[in-house]
Amino acid sequence: MKLILKSILLVLVLVISQTSLAKLIKQNLVIENGKVNLSGQREVNFALTVNGGIPAPTLEFTEGDEAEITVINKTNEEVSIHWHGMLVPNNMDGVSNLTTPPILPGGVYVFKFPIRQSGTYWYHSHTGLQEQRGVFGAIVIHPKLEKYQVDHDMVVMLNDWTDENPEEVLKNLKKDGDFYQHKKDTVRSVFGALGTGHFNTYFESLKTRMGGMDLSDVGYDAFLINGKKDQQLVLAHSGQKVRLRIINAGASSYFYVNLGKQKFTVISADGQSVNPVQTQELLLGMAETYDVIFNVQEQKNYELRATAQDISGTASAWIGAGEKESAPDKAPLGLYEMNHTEHSPHDMSAMEMDDMAGMDISEMEDMVPQLEILSYQNLRAIAPTEFSGSAPRLEMKLELDGDMSRYTWFINEKTISEDKYIDINKGDVIRFVIVNKTMMHHPMHLHGHFFRLLNGQGNFSPLKHTVDVGPYQTQTIEFLADEPGVWMLHCHNLYHMHSGMAKVVRYRSFEIPHEIMPAENHDAHDHDAHAIDSWFNYGVIDAFSNAGQLYLRTSNTRNQVDARISSRYDDNWNGEGEILGRRWLDKYWNIFVGGEAFNFESRGVVGTTYILPLFVESSVFFDSRGKFRLDLAQRLQWTSHLYSDWDVTARDSQGTEWGANLMYGFNWSWALGAKLTNNSGGVGFTGRF
Ligand SMILES: [Cu+2]
């Protein structure tokens, strides 16, 4: 009897203490237009600050708290805040026009949700390209009982920064997916490949039309840790433990993170605890987070260095005190060595998977593996994560693909504007097999859930909210559908997402609340991905002493209008022009209809263009007089600056015309050189805009 009373009393005490611990944590976030100079090179006026700074303030909670966050929009555009990795009610997810109303200029929105989890997360705008302009901050949630006692607990927030307005960056990528290769001096070429002994790889990439491996599309001006290129993060002394909550808030950069050759222990991934693993380095995709513990063993000041995956820049933060211990530079990347057979640390190696699977926790802790770089197969949950066997399963393949020439990105060959929903049933276990058919990494993020990453750890597969799918790799994830709502599933490369690589996972039983519906009806395919079906422009002007041309293009996801007038000297000056409306059927193939003027006659044309292996553009025209025309054109990049364009036009009503040039490109926009045609030669320039 006494024992029972005692137990009841204990339960009461526990219940009361728990209730009193459930604190309401209030925070205001004021978003404003700001002028900042984060690169140290230029002050820019497109920045968005939160409470006056970049990054936004760190929000700190304890599991069980209630969050009340008031977002105040003092800008002249609509804004949003998404709580990345947080298990929130669907209407608190912060995706404008999908889950939450947009916060209009001068508007205020109060987010209220219970804190159901612990770990390291973050928040960011889910509107336009605002995340790249500064709207991102960390979320730190302490568990009720902290397992790891440390002397210092620090957020390490990584991001990429461009002094160019991100809207301009997207416009440039839409002109040419390789736009920033010039700025970064990573243009691949025939002689570049020959000189490094990789001609076969290069030729193969042209033959298969894969192009080279691109680790990053954008040429950034700075990489930052907590908003700075270099800083003393914390003064720590020998014998102290430092917990680092590393968050990749980059818009389109993967980061390597290391402390030189120092080892550190990974204790959680994407906020979820994993069996401790020792490593010297991490590779973080956008939106991924890792918590690590670093034991300061000597009285030194260690450099924590984040290096962009394409080795185009670094950021540093110093930990410790005393003599500085710098992290070594990473070797520059061979432009041609990379192909899809090369492994990224996130790829599965069957052998390693076998080694790790079936090991129990105590064995793991005994032999905390020591790694040079952490890979996914080293992540093991601390408790079983498998779902009950009775839950129905739905398996779906998601193919990631893209078209670099028009910078459009697809899931299962469609952009989100073309095919938006994946419908699921509550209670099902949903398995996505994500197959990457591109030469880029895609960090795929699912809102509102943790998924199991099937990494060979069986019942102990780790829980994540974002998974890196490397070039030509496949990753399989599964989750229990127990959070009714509509949830984004998208690539966390901001420019990929805004060029189509996104979907919405929709619970069949879920009804979109009334306050969202108007937006849903008004703008059915716009949602988060504002730019997807916008039109983008591109133009070329050629001015040679023997030929001239003006080409203008405007295009959106599938449609394109081309206008071209040209003139060349063959015995005398003649002119021609055409205007064509095109429809892209897949990334290599379009059909067109339009008109052409030739020899002072105009006629209607229909036809088709196909991109052949080696990126030879071939077009067949049939005109309203029953005549036939064949065009072939190709660019050959000899060195990073020297290139040739050649083209052939064959008409059955006339002979064959050809032209070829040899140009020296100063940058993406301008080139000088010489041009040959059937029977003339000349010099001049080319401008692209
Ligand atoms: Cu992507």
Side-chain angles (χ1 to χ4, degrees):
M1 196 61 191
K2 232 180 176 176
L3 196 70
I4 294 175
L5 270 177
K6 242 184 178 172
S7 310
I8 292 174
L9 207 66
L10 188 70
V11 168
L12 271 177
V13 166
L14 272 175
V15 167
I16 290 165
S17 66
Q18 289 291 315
T19 335
S20 59
L21 277 175
K23 276 190 306 192
L24 178 67
I25 307 287
K26 291 189 179 190
Q27 172 88 39
N28 285 356
L29 298 177
V30 181
I31 306 181
E32 284 177 289
N33 295 99
K35 286 186 181 168
V36 300
N37 181 350
L38 294 181
S39 68
Q41 291 152 25
R42 190 141 65 99
E43 188 181 76
V44 300
N45 60 10
F46 57 76
L48 293 173
T49 61
V50 183
N51 295 5
I54 295 175
T58 297
L59 304 180
E60 211 166 330
F61 305 100
T62 301
E63 190 176 359
D65 285 348
E66 186 80 25
E68 184 182 308
I69 304 157
T70 305
V71 179
I72 300 155
N73 180 4
K74 290 196 174 170
T75 75
N76 48 17
E77 58 196 291
E78 66 172 68
V79 301
S80 63
I81 295 285
H82 162 63
W83 315 99
H84 188 113
M86 299 287 288
L87 300 172
V88 297
N90 192 238
N91 66 341
M92 292 288 134
D93 195 45
V95 179
S96 291
N97 299 329
L98 179 67
T99 67
T100 315
I103 309 169
L104 299 174
V108 173
Y109 194 84
V110 182
F111 289 89
K112 233 180 148 165
F113 47 85
I115 303 292
R116 296 162 51 191
Q117 63 202 96
S118 65
T120 301
Y121 305 93
W122 62 300
Y123 62 100
H124 59 82
S125 168
H126 222 291
T127 300
L129 303 170
Q130 290 174 353
E131 181 194 306
Q132 178 85 88
R133 293 160 65 195
V135 186
F136 56 88
I139 298 175
V140 171
I141 309 171
H142 303 285
K144 285 176 184 158
L145 250 181
E146 183 55 76
K147 190 169 159 192
Y148 298 99
Q149 300 307 321
V150 294
D151 302 289
H152 305 277
D153 189 334
M154 310 300 300
V155 164
V156 176
M157 191 148 215
L158 317 171
N159 83 294
D160 40 26
W161 183 257
T162 167
D163 285 337
E164 197 177 10
N165 190 325
E167 298 290 341
E168 292 301 315
V169 171
L170 185 62
K171 282 182 192 168
N172 290 335
L173 291 172
K174 289 282 186 178
K175 287 171 189 167
D176 176 1
D178 289 335
F179 186 95
Y180 290 99
Q181 305 305 331
H182 295 261
K183 178 176 176 177
K184 294 198 285 188
D185 201 16
T186 54
V187 176
R188 292 182 181 83
S189 65
V190 173
F191 285 102
L194 280 171
T196 53
H198 291 96
F199 183 75
N200 286 343
T201 314
Y202 179 66
F203 185 75
E204 196 64 28
S205 75
L206 296 180
K207 202 177 88 188
T208 54
R209 299 171 297 186
M210 281 195 316
M213 178 148 139
D214 287 307
L215 293 174
S216 170
D217 297 331
V218 179
Y220 284 104
D221 294 300
F223 298 97
L224 309 170
I225 293 175
N226 298 347
K228 296 196 178 78
K229 292 209 278 194
D230 197 343
Q231 74 203 286
Q232 185 71 39
L233 183 72
V234 58
L235 283 170
H237 299 285
S238 152
Q240 291 194 320
K241 285 184 173 165
V242 185
R243 179 181 186 144
L244 302 168
R245 300 169 181 272
I246 308 170
I247 303 166
N248 184 354
S252 74
S253 303
Y254 277 55
F255 287 100
Y256 291 106
V257 174
N258 64 41
L259 283 143
K261 291 283 167 209
Q262 301 299 309
K263 291 189 177 76
F264 51 86
T265 305
V266 177
I267 56 168
S268 76
D270 288 2
Q272 302 292 300
S273 297
V274 293
N275 273 342
V277 160
Q278 265 198 5
T279 184
Q280 288 179 4
E281 188 159 57
L282 298 170
L283 174 67
L284 287 92
M286 285 76 84
E288 288 190 300
T289 76
Y290 287 100
D291 283 27
V292 309
I293 292 178
F294 174 49
N295 295 324
V296 183
Q297 285 183 351
E298 287 176 73
Q299 194 65 23
K300 280 188 180 169
N301 201 0
Y302 295 97
E303 182 183 12
L304 177 140
R305 191 184 288 192
T307 305
Q309 193 187 16
D310 65 355
I311 324 288
S312 63
T314 65
S316 302
W318 298 82
I319 297 165
E323 193 196 329
K324 281 193 162 186
E325 177 108 340
S326 296
D329 291 338
K330 286 182 107 53
L333 291 174
L335 263 186
Y336 306 93
E337 289 153 45
M338 302 169 297
N339 59 47
H340 63 272
T341 58
E342 205 155 302
H343 288 264
S344 93
H346 293 162
D347 302 340
M348 288 309 152
S349 127
M351 236 168 60
E352 279 172 274
M353 272 164 51
D354 283 352
D355 281 356
M356 306 288 293
M359 206 178 269
D360 73 26
I361 300 176
S362 53
E363 276 180 277
M364 287 286 295
E365 275 178 352
D366 281 349
M367 54 156 291
V368 170
Q370 309 220 338
L371 307 165
E372 271 179 39
I373 184 159
L374 183 84
S375 54
Y376 277 162
Q377 60 262 34
N378 305 123
L379 294 176
R380 184 176 169 89
I382 56 167
T385 57
E386 219 154 60
F387 308 114
S388 83
S390 59
R393 278 167 198 267
L394 174 80
E395 184 167 314
M396 193 173 194
K397 191 168 163 189
L398 300 175
E399 284 188 348
L400 312 180
D401 206 351
D403 173 355
M404 278 307 270
S405 66
R406 288 171 308 117
Y407 206 75
T408 310
W409 297 92
F410 307 104
I411 296 177
N412 291 348
E413 297 183 347
K414 299 270 170 61
T415 64
I416 185 176
S417 58
E418 295 174 317
D419 184 16
K420 186 164 142 195
Y421 292 109
I422 296 173
D423 285 312
I424 63 170
N425 292 325
K426 185 170 186 287
D428 281 1
V429 172
I430 312 295
R431 181 178 284 188
F432 290 141
V433 179
I434 310 175
V435 181
N436 183 354
K437 296 174 80 180
T438 76
M439 291 300 276
M440 287 200 78
H441 288 260
H442 302 285
M444 299 302 293
H445 169 47
L446 174 64
H447 287 211
H449 303 73
F450 285 96
F451 50 75
R452 307 175 70 225
L453 172 62
L454 302 189
N455 65 341
Q457 294 285 4
N459 199 6
F460 290 85
S461 294
L463 297 173
K464 289 186 103 280
H465 52 56
T466 305
V467 58
D468 165 43
V469 191
Y472 281 83
Q473 298 298 321
T474 295
Q475 298 283 4
T476 302
I477 62 172
E478 65 175 27
F479 63 97
L480 178 64
D482 60 352
E483 300 280 347
V486 280
W487 304 101
M488 296 282 302
L489 167 71
H490 64 88
C491 177
H492 225 282
N493 180 319
L494 196 57
Y495 299 94
H496 292 186
M497 175 169 77
H498 286 283
S499 305
M501 195 176 264
K503 291 243 182 262
V504 172
V505 172
R506 176 170 66 182
Y507 283 64
R508 288 202 174 87
S509 55
F510 182 77
E511 275 185 37
I512 294 176
H514 272 299
E515 68 266 27
I516 311 296
M517 283 310 278
E520 165 87 359
N521 294 334
H522 165 74
D523 211 353
H525 56 243
D526 197 52
H527 285 163
D528 181 60
H530 78 303
I532 288 177
D533 276 336
S534 307
W535 291 81
F536 291 88
N537 305 320
Y538 169 66
V540 183
I541 184 158
D542 290 323
F544 292 89
S545 55
N546 60 336
Q549 170 173 254
L550 176 67
Y551 168 80
L552 299 173
R553 178 184 89 188
T554 185
S555 60
N556 71 1
T557 302
R558 294 279 168 192
N559 304 302
Q560 178 173 325
V561 179
D562 290 346
R564 189 174 68 90
I565 50 169
S566 63
S567 174
R568 52 194 266 159
Y569 186 82
D570 291 308
D571 307 326
N572 50 39
W573 284 94
N574 58 43
E576 61 180 76
E578 70 215 12
I579 187 157
L580 302 174
R582 294 180 191 269
R583 174 84 183 166
W584 286 88
L585 302 177
D586 67 28
K587 64 196 237 189
Y588 301 123
W589 186 33
N590 69 63
I591 50 174
F592 59 80
V593 57
E596 72 165 350
F598 170 67
N599 278 352
F600 305 103
E601 287 170 7
S602 59
R603 54 194 81 177
V605 292
V606 295
T608 181
T609 296
Y610 189 77
I611 313 292
L612 292 165
L614 303 176
F615 293 101
V616 176
E617 189 180 315
S618 63
S619 302
V620 181
F621 296 66
F622 298 96
D623 71 26
S624 49
R625 298 174 186 210
K627 298 290 183 195
F628 159 88
R629 165 181 161 195
L630 172 72
D631 281 9
L632 293 174
Q634 187 193 26
R635 167 158 301 182
L636 294 164
Q637 191 75 41
W638 302 117
T639 72
S640 57
H641 289 281
L642 271 183
Y643 68 85
S644 290
D645 292 316
W646 63 261
D647 62 85
V648 174
T649 296
R651 287 186 160 90
D652 65 353
S653 58
Q654 188 118 358
T656 300
E657 275 181 1
W658 60 266
N661 62 22
L662 180 63
M663 307 296 292
Y664 182 87
F666 298 96
N667 48 38
W668 182 84
S669 303
W670 295 105
L672 267 183
K675 184 174 175 94
L676 286 175
T677 68
N678 290 45
N679 43 18
S680 70
V683 292
F685 70 88
T686 287
R688 294 199 278 175
F689 53 92

